[in-house]
């Protein structure tokens, strides 16, 4: 895979643990505002030290200004996580160096170190669901540096490099004021988030107890138009807010452990549906893909639970497909392989969802007992306009062929994308071009319609009746 494509993937990773769109917008706006403040301060003080002929402090301030420019540019490009990681590291170093020259004088205390306090608070907020280094290590490093400068006189003895006293007298007010303002902003976002998260969590617990969930089914299509199965996609039926989509609650469900009972419900419902479909010749062949979250998969009794649910439902194991994600492969790969092998030995198929987004090592991949790779929709979206995405998809197609795995592309929205995929040997698709996820009744109607009039050789283009039916399908969507 090309270096730039890999880098772009890395940079565009979203921040984890930021559940609502409102929160994400707040974090994005906050990060733009902070970058603009950093830019403004860096440039203003840089100009001042230029006039005062202090080249060292001028360079330091301009470097801080540059961090602001880079932060703004990256946030605008949507690389919020990368921008946050870059800004916090760079500011910790630059502010740390600046503090060394902000030596306390009699009557003028040190003040630049106060920015480290707000930097620590901002990192706690932004990286709260990241790994332990970003979540704990980085804020601790900011606190520790702040503490060292707050509690000691450590600093440069080169008087000509220090900021002039009159500036430092004003600086004490400006630095404390800005640091308190940033702290207040961070605490404001934290408390709004806390309230929102606990409201969602209470609602979710209630929904689990009352079974306020429903599955929608998105067709998976082979070749031109034949529905081979579907993916079960969860929706929360909120009594007041209506249907809530999984991106608003799955992550919180994972963090609170509620994903285990929710996942259990999804699996029971899906298997019961497979058993129902098996009684009707129109739908007896349909496979059903179920998403499994990482913490659900890590449960010690996951395999036994799945087998028990399938057994009791009477569903054919070979029609059930579990969609795993690359994040599951990060920990204890031997246990993962053991579980996957046991599920496959029972007859269940395994598909690797969102493939390409998680940098799973190809070494791992060849040891995994998989049946299918599912190309992530982010690659399909820009397939025809972004040469990098085209290269990535080509590589994934070759990879699946060399590993003898079936391949399905998700997020297929246009005939041009479908045609490109078909011409490049990818024959299975899922996406809005065929249908959005549908409530059960509409999905059943779509399948029945396809069953009544099977497609002729050559697909819908070759047959006017089939063309009419495709138009009808679109109305069902
Ligand atoms: P996913 O497994 O990658 O599911 C595919 C998502 O892509 C679905 O979003 C689907 O509606 C959307 N999609 C399909 N075709 C297109 C298209 O052509 N264009 C665009 N723009 N989008 C398309 P949905 O239903 O909102 O689900 C989002 C994610 O939530 C899923 O991503 C999956 O990771 C998670 N999820 C859904 N149901 C469950 C579940 O029962 N358990 C768990 N653990 N996660 C679930
Ligand atoms: Mg999926
Ligand atoms: Mg997916």
């Amino acid at each position: 895979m090309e270096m730039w494509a890999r880098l772009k993937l890395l940079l565009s990773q979203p921040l984890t643990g930021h559940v609502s769109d409102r929160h994400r917008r707040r974090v994005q706006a906050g990060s733009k505002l902070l970058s603009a403040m950093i830019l403004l301060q860096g440039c203003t003080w840089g100009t001042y030290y230029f006039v005062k002929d202090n080249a060292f402090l001028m360079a330091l301030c301009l470097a801080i200004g540059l961090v602001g420019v880079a932060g703004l540019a990256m946030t605008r490009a949507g690389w919020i996580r990368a921008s946050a990681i870059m800004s916090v590291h760079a500011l910790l170093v630059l502010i740390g160096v600046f503090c060394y020259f902000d030596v306390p004088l009699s009557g003028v205390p040190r003040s630049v170190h106060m920015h480290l306090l707000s930097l620590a608070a901002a990192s706690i907020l932004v990286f709260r669901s990241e790994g332990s280094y970003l979540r704990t290590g980085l804020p601790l490093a900011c606190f520790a540096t702040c503490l060292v400068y707050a509690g000691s006189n450590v600093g440069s003895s080169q008087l000509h490099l220090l900021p002039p006293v009159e500036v430092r007298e004003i600086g004490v007010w400006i630095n404390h004021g800005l640091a308190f303002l940033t702290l207040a902003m961070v605490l404001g976002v934290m408390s709004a988030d806390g309230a929102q998260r606990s409201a969602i969590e209470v609602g979710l617990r209630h929904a689990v107890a009352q079974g306020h969930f429903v599955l929608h089914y998105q067709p998976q299509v082979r070749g031109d138009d034949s529905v081979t199965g579907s993916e079960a996609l969860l929706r929360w039926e909120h009594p007041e807010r209506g249907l809530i989509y999984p991106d608003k609650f799955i992550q919180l469900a994972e963090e609170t452990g509620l994903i285990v009972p929710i996942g259990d419900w999804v699996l029971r419902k899906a298997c019961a549906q497979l058993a129902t479909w098996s009684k009707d010749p129109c739908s007896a062949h349909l496979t059903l893909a179920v998403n499994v979250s990482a913490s659900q998969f890590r449960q010690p009794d996951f395999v036994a639970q799945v087998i028990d649910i399938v057994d009791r439902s009477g569903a054919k194991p070979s029609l059930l497909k579990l969609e795993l994600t690359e994040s599951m492969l990060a920990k204890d790969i031997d246990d993962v392989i053991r579980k996957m092998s046991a599920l496959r030995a029972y007859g269940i198929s395994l598909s690797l969802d969102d493939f390409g987004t998680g940098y799973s090592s190809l070494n791992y991949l060849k040891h995994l007992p998989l049946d299918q790779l599912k190309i992530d929709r982010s690659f399909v979206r820009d397939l025809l306009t972004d040469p990098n995405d085209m290269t990535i998809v080509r590589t994934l197609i070759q990879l699946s062929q060399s590993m003898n795995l079936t391949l399905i592309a998700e997020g297929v929205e246009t005939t041009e994308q479908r045609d490109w995929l078909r011409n490049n040997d990818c024959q299975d698709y899922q996406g809005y071009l065929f249908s959005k996820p549908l409530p059960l009744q509409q999905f059943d109607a779509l399948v029945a319609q396809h069953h009544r009039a099977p497609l002729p050789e050559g697909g819908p283009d070759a047959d006017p009746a089939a063309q009419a039916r495709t138009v009808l399908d679109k109305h069902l969507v």
Side-chain angles (χ1 to χ4, degrees), residues 231 291 323 325 353-355 374-377 410 430:
E231 177 176 7
N291 291 284
E323 289 198 1
T325 55
D353 202 359
D354 305 338
F355 186 58
K374 195 167 187 185
I375 306 178
D376 188 60
R377 64 180 187 275
E410 86 179 348
Q430 181 182 335

Side-chain angles (χ1 to χ4, degrees), residues 128-300:
R128 64 177 178 214
S129 299
E130 297 283 345
S132 53
Y133 168 67
L134 289 178
R135 193 181 67 235
T136 321
L138 202 52
L140 271 182
C142 297
F143 275 134
T145 318
C146 179
L147 197 65
V148 168
Y149 281 119
S152 72
N153 288 339
V154 62
S156 170
S157 54
Q158 307 217 14
L159 292 179
H160 67 283
L161 286 182
L162 306 187
V165 177
E166 65 275 14
V167 168
R168 301 197 36 207
E169 280 171 346
I170 306 168
V172 170
W173 291 95
I174 296 179
N175 290 331
H176 279 88
L178 283 177
F180 292 151
L181 186 71
T182 320
L183 261 181
M185 274 166 53
V186 169
L187 290 177
V189 176
M190 273 179 181
S191 86
D193 270 6
Q196 197 180 359
R197 280 167 71 86
S198 50
I200 300 178
E201 191 183 331
V202 169
L204 208 50
R205 283 188 194 283
H206 184 70
V208 170
Q210 303 291 316
H212 285 167
F213 294 105
V214 66
L215 289 182
H216 281 187
Y217 300 84
Q218 186 173 33
Q220 297 189 331
V221 171
R222 172 151 311 149
D224 279 314
D225 217 357
S226 74
V227 179
T228 53
S230 67
E231 177 176 7
L233 292 158
L234 183 64
R235 274 84 181 101
W236 172 4
E237 282 185 309
H238 196 284
E240 282 124 39
R241 293 167 56 196
L243 273 196
I244 303 184
Y245 284 77
D247 57 324
K248 303 275 189 303
F249 66 89
I250 286 285
Q251 184 142 16
L252 192 68
E254 289 230 18
E255 286 168 21
T256 51
L258 284 169
I259 195 69
V260 176
I262 294 176
D264 200 67
W265 180 90
V266 172
L267 209 55
R268 281 176 204 283
K269 192 84 186 158
C271 289
Q273 194 53 55
L274 273 176
T276 309
W277 281 338
S278 71
K279 295 183 189 120
D280 184 338
C282 294
S283 52
H285 64 288
L286 294 177
T287 59
L288 185 53
V290 170
N291 291 284
V292 174
S293 82
S295 46
Q296 196 185 346
F297 189 79
R298 269 187 225 118
Q299 297 294 308

